[in-house]
Amino acid sequence: MAIASSSWVASANDPESDFPIQNLPYGVFLYRETAHLGVAIGDQILDLYTCADHGLLSSLSREVVSACRARTLNPLMSLGRDAWSALRRQLMALLDAGYEKKRDVEALLIPMKDAIMRLPVDIGDYTDFYASIYHATRVGSLFRPDNPLLPNYKYVPIGYHGRVSSIVISGSEIRRPCGQTKAAAAEAPVFGPSKSLDYELEIGILVGTGNSPGHSIPIDKAEEHIFGLCLVNDWSARDIQSWEYQPLGPFLAKNFATTISPWVVPLEALSPYRVPAFERPADDPAPLPYLASSSREKDGIDLTLEVYLQSEAMRQQQMPAMILSRGNLRDLYWTIGQLVTHHTCNGCNLRPGDLLATGTISGPAAGSEGCLLEKRQNPEPLRLPTGETRTFLEDDDEIIFRAYTQRSGLPRIGFGDCTGRVVASQACE
Ligand code: CA
């Protein structure tokens, strides 16, 4: 198929736009109080429900048309890769600059600024991994300076099961959690608001087709099961975490809130931006055979990830958000395919709409740390343009994640913003 180069939606052709015709990420928005599926195109949303109503999808199978009239992406996700590609081709045709009946489609666009976005997926299960060796090493060195990386790290993609009920859409307020914390010198813990609230910059893998219980997904088939990617902020209370995490791992330090971005970028849209997977140092062990992909030369994704912060004082002084870090998905030790395959290697079944997050994405360089905890290695406190300083997040701080990929001769493909503002805790009693 010839790839469309431009759209009759003028804003989609702006080189700064996250949403050119080559992207077409899926989301769910409220239309007259009803949830509709849509795709982002420039600064507009194309309503898939009304596209189906107007017969614009009639060349597609009945299952695809029916999935476009659903309230979440799950029915579409369950149909598999051929159905996803067929729908994507049809949407590209409708939005292509050369489309002759664009007036029919124009009436079905909604300005993105007027849309209220909803969680795009009914997420069944959520797993959070720990796939960045730079994050694992920096965090490990804070707790175990002599032995930062545990011996299983280079063999096992480490993860834990997260909580779905507190996953919220970008823009939702994040209430500072209450919890037990214990200062190192204190004899006993106290109960109160977390004083060490942090963000974690992650990418979410949204599972399309799943697997049957007892049947694992082979590594070379893993990506066929991935519908798309979104941004994830795994809000973390470091003081609660350090007191509770042994022996069973994260619990209340993590499960009070997780924010995801409203747009799910199809994996297919990212295919021109694939790069070699992380190059393991020569003395690292090779992955065990079930995790050894035959396509390492394109298992990575060149995706730049950025974190911005805007404090209340910055907002009042109309200062733009300040960049805190910039990293890249290609720096993960484990690939997205390896995470999927490892999750199912014991026969655990994934289902359409499951969310697997990568874990904090950090790079080797200063300035690429995907959370504030890692910045504690820096002796200088973080200084904001107002003169304020930060070790961890204060109330009314807003955190903004962005992600995009770009390559010469190809358009920018972006994820849109994933934001959350911290609000004061409830009375911790
Ligand atoms: Ca995490």
Side-chain angles (χ1 to χ4, degrees):
M1 181 193 74
I3 292 190
S5 57
S6 64
S7 172
W8 52 262
V9 180
S11 57
N13 306 324
D14 177 346
E16 298 292 304
S17 174
D18 273 353
F19 306 124
I21 192 170
Q22 294 85 351
N23 189 349
L24 301 185
Y26 294 97
V28 171
F29 66 102
L30 274 190
Y31 179 80
R32 296 180 183 159
E33 298 180 12
T34 306
H36 281 194
L37 304 196
V39 291
I41 176 79
D43 59 7
Q44 306 287 310
I45 300 174
L46 178 62
D47 184 333
L48 297 192
Y49 187 100
T50 53
C51 279
D53 263 359
H54 286 70
L56 294 172
L57 308 178
S58 56
S59 61
L60 300 166
S61 73
R62 192 178 302 172
E63 290 77 19
V64 173
V65 177
S66 158
C68 288
R69 302 171 67 111
R71 305 297 176 220
T72 66
L73 287 171
N74 296 58
L76 177 62
M77 296 166 95
S78 69
L79 293 178
R81 207 158 63 154
D82 290 348
W84 308 334
S85 291
L87 175 58
R88 189 173 153 76
R89 273 197 304 275
Q90 174 64 9
L91 296 174
M92 278 189 168
L94 294 175
L95 293 164
D96 187 284
Y99 187 62
E100 287 176 358
K101 297 182 193 164
K102 70 171 190 178
R103 284 189 196 290
D104 298 350
V105 187
E106 223 162 9
L108 312 182
L109 293 177
I110 284 112
M112 202 179 278
K113 65 179 172 46
D114 298 338
I116 297 172
M117 302 304 295
R118 284 287 184 256
L119 280 176
V121 177
D122 183 10
I123 299 169
D125 280 295
Y126 161 42
T127 302
D128 195 15
F129 283 94
Y130 200 50
S132 163
I133 196 168
Y134 302 112
H135 172 68
T137 305
R138 283 200 200 96
V139 170
S141 68
L142 291 169
F143 293 105
R144 297 174 304 272
D146 302 333
N147 180 26
L149 205 61
L150 292 170
N152 58 2
Y153 189 85
K154 293 177 178 177
Y155 292 94
V156 184
I158 300 291
Y160 70 96
H161 287 123
R163 185 158 185 91
V164 174
S165 67
S166 52
I167 297 178
V168 295
I169 189 75
S170 172
S172 306
E173 288 183 341
I174 301 302
R175 189 162 297 282
R176 180 179 297 275
C178 301
Q180 277 196 31
T181 60
K182 189 179 106 42
E187 290 239 322
V190 295
F191 185 74
S194 167
K195 296 190 177 85
S196 313
L197 185 58
D198 200 355
Y199 56 82
E200 288 192 339
L201 170 66
E202 309 196 11
I203 281 288
I205 300 159
L206 284 155
V207 174
T209 49
N211 57 306
S212 312
H215 296 271
S216 56
I217 296 176
I219 185 69
D220 286 335
K221 299 274 184 198
E223 289 201 1
E224 293 178 20
H225 292 261
I226 299 175
F227 178 75
L229 306 182
C230 65
L231 281 162
V232 174
N233 186 340
D234 176 25
W235 303 93
S236 300
R238 302 301 184 193
D239 43 0
I240 299 173
Q241 185 179 0
S242 63
W243 172 232
E244 75 170 7
Y245 86 102
Q246 287 178 314
L248 284 186
F251 181 38
L252 301 179
K254 300 274 192 179
N255 71 2
F256 60 95
T258 305
T259 305
I260 67 169
S261 57
W263 296 110
V264 181
V265 174
L267 199 56
E268 194 179 332
L270 295 168
S271 60
Y273 306 88
R274 301 305 295 256
V275 290
F278 181 87
E279 193 173 340
R280 291 182 173 221
D283 49 357
D284 277 12
L288 295 183
Y290 79 97
L291 290 173
S293 156
S294 60
S295 54
R296 288 283 293 176
E297 75 286 355
K298 60 173 185 61
D299 281 351
I301 303 175
D302 178 17
L303 186 71
T304 301
L305 297 132
E306 296 171 342
V307 180
Y308 294 82
L309 180 148
Q310 193 180 40
S311 69
E312 179 61 27
M314 289 167 72
R315 269 192 300 278
Q316 280 175 9
Q317 296 175 47
Q318 297 181 341
M319 293 174 173
M322 166 196 180
I323 190 160
L324 298 188
S325 74
R326 183 177 286 123
N328 196 301
L329 189 64
R330 65 191 297 174
D331 288 332
L332 289 186
Y333 195 79
W334 298 103
T335 64
I336 57 174
Q338 285 173 320
L339 301 183
V340 167
T341 289
H342 182 65
H343 204 307
T344 65
C345 74
N346 64 346
C348 171
N349 53 314
L350 298 177
R351 296 178 296 186
D354 281 359
L355 174 66
L356 315 185
T358 54
T360 308
I361 301 164
S362 299
S368 65
E369 308 91 345
C371 64
L372 290 174
L373 180 66
E374 290 177 50
K375 289 184 180 287
R376 279 177 36 183
Q377 287 195 323
N378 186 341
E380 288 294 308
L382 181 63
R383 263 180 212 292
L384 310 188
T386 49
E388 300 170 279
T389 60
R390 287 289 181 278
T391 310
F392 288 106
L393 298 174
E394 301 287 338
D395 290 348
D396 303 312
D397 283 353
E398 181 172 41
I399 289 294
I400 303 145
F401 290 173
R402 296 191 178 125
Y404 57 90
T405 179
Q406 222 159 4
R407 184 171 276 194
S408 100
L410 292 173
R412 170 193 171 103
I413 299 248
F415 279 58
D417 288 2
C418 180
T419 71
R421 191 186 297 189
V422 177
V423 299
S425 73
Q426 57 173 321
C428 300
E429 312 177 304

